[in-house]
Amino acid sequence: MKNITAYKNKKILVLGLAKSGASSASLLHELGAIVTVNDRKPFSENPEAQTLLEKGIKVICGEHPKDLLDEGFELIVKNPGIPYRNELIQDAMKRGIPVITEVELAYQISEARFIGITGTNGKTTTTTLIFEMLNQGNKNPLIAGNIGTVASDVARMATEKNIIVTELSSFQLMGIVHFRPRIAVITNIYEAHLDFHGSREQYINAKKNILKNQTKTDFAILNFDQEEGRQIAKEAKGTVIPFSKEKYLPEGASLKDGFIYFQGEKVIDYQKVVLPGKHNLENILASVASAKLMGVANEHIEQVLTTFRGVEHRLQFVKEINGRIFYNDSKATNTLATKSALSAFNRPIILLAGGLDRGNDFDDLIPSLKNVKALITFGQTKEKLVQTGKKAGIEKIFIVDNVQEAVPLSYALSEKGDVILLSPACASWDQYKSFEVRGDIFMGAVHKLV
């Protein structure tokens, strides 16, 4: 870890806890800052706040006091999930107080280089694939961000021999200042999180932040099957490496005659790849490009792609029971992800879907529901999904209270050869703390069936 002095004796507010806030507060305290932590959760229910108080850090819990900024803070480190329309953040910006997110701190203290991965879908799979390829190639990778350990915790232990592979959300990228990844990947861009960003343009701008500090010695890996990717390439300061699953690109990563190529070099026969789903080809191409740029040999890339079957909660095989195959795709928090999951199967599907209502409808799912023989819905969006199912001509549609109830019903409706798929097309926060919790409950209910 770099021993930086920029924060010594500075008054800094950490707004919002959870893992990233707690890590930021501890780190800044170690760097000599005068830290105050503010979190809405009551102190008695807040173990992170209790631990920080024991370290001698000032903690304010239960509310965000309107006069809090009168204490003269020089910097705010914001939990990524707190929107910029928050009154305290708005007040800070009016006062000229800089607002950053934890990943910026991680970059400032890190001796290691970064590979940053963002995009609407595929971030977790791509991040994991890159990490595994670098690991096979003995490149000393560490994995961080939304996928695992908080980036600043990873950066503390990293040395110049490491490279930190980190998954980054648009929320995190809005709060970077100097963050500069050696390789930046944007997997794809679709409409998402408009309740947070306000518009598609603002969402895209947040994603593009991952490129803003790059130079020609860095690399920007972009999806050239999308107009957004091609447009972003025109603005990129780093060296653009395109990827495409639709046409051969000699300057990037693509498919030709059944083989994956990188810059004209044949890397692997695509038939050997075991990761299911056509949508995963985008993730594979971006990962191959990243690994090759870091000097990983083809044999190590092949070792990963012939054994890696996916990440938890993303088209994760759970169990086969009497010829019924269960898949956990709880990470599908938007319709595009669910469409991708549905396209991965030719068998009849019983779909379990529903969750947080963000104001959108689900009619874009209709063309992908042709193999769905039964639909089981739950959560805030259950009625909307019922209407979508009816428009798609699905005859068997049921509403249940939660995922746990959906599992035995799905089994009762199924026949040998069916796929029973949890792919909610919605965030989990109406009923569950996270998509991981939702997926774990689904898998637990499956294992209780027999």
Side-chain angles (χ1 to χ4, degrees), residues 202-219:
Q202 290 303 314
Y203 174 63
I204 293 174
N205 287 340
K207 291 295 189 187
K208 289 193 302 187
N209 265 356
I210 196 171
L211 308 175
K212 73 175 186 178
N213 294 314
Q214 286 193 308
T215 69
K216 275 294 180 185
T217 60
D218 304 313
F219 298 97

Side-chain angles (χ1 to χ4, degrees), residues 410-424:
S410 68
Y411 183 73
L413 294 168
S414 67
E415 299 175 297
K416 187 175 181 180
D418 290 350
V419 168
I420 298 174
L421 172 67
L422 171 69
S423 191

Side-chain angles (χ1 to χ4, degrees), residues 184-325:
V185 178
I186 302 179
T187 58
N188 48 57
I189 292 180
Y190 297 96
E191 196 165 286
H193 302 302
L194 299 192
D195 54 336
F196 185 98
H197 293 286
S199 69
R200 181 184 177 89
E201 182 182 8
Q202 290 303 314
Y203 174 63
I204 293 174
N205 287 340
K207 291 295 189 187
K208 289 193 302 187
N209 265 356
I210 196 171
L211 308 175
K212 73 175 186 178
N213 294 314
Q214 286 193 308
T215 69
K216 275 294 180 185
T217 60
D218 304 313
F219 298 97
I221 298 176
L222 302 173
N223 188 341
F224 267 40
D225 290 337
Q226 289 194 309
E227 178 62 26
E228 289 88 352
R230 297 190 293 271
Q231 288 300 319
I232 290 170
K234 296 175 182 178
E235 306 170 35
K237 299 175 184 176
T239 298
V240 172
I241 306 294
F243 67 90
S244 170
K245 66 180 189 295
E246 296 176 359
K247 61 181 180 180
Y248 177 65
L249 298 176
E251 70 276 25
S254 53
L255 200 64
K256 178 184 178 184
D257 300 328
F259 286 85
I260 291 174
Y261 280 78
F262 178 72
Q263 294 187 337
E265 178 188 359
K266 187 185 293 184
V267 178
I268 183 175
D269 182 347
Y270 184 54
Q271 293 300 316
K272 294 182 178 180
V273 175
V274 297
L275 187 61
K278 293 179 181 178
H279 63 285
N280 274 318
L281 180 54
E282 285 185 351
N283 308 326
I284 290 164
L285 291 171
S287 303
V288 167
S290 300
K292 292 294 289 182
L293 290 170
M294 293 303 300
V296 177
N298 291 351
E299 63 189 272
H300 298 308
I301 293 172
E302 182 167 331
Q303 175 63 28
V304 173
L305 292 178
T306 54
T307 57
F308 181 80
R309 295 185 177 274
V311 297
E312 284 190 329
H313 309 292
R314 188 70 184 101
L315 268 187
Q316 177 187 4
F317 171 76
V318 180
K319 194 174 185 179
E320 182 173 345
I321 302 175
N322 296 325
R324 288 82 163 165
I325 307 174

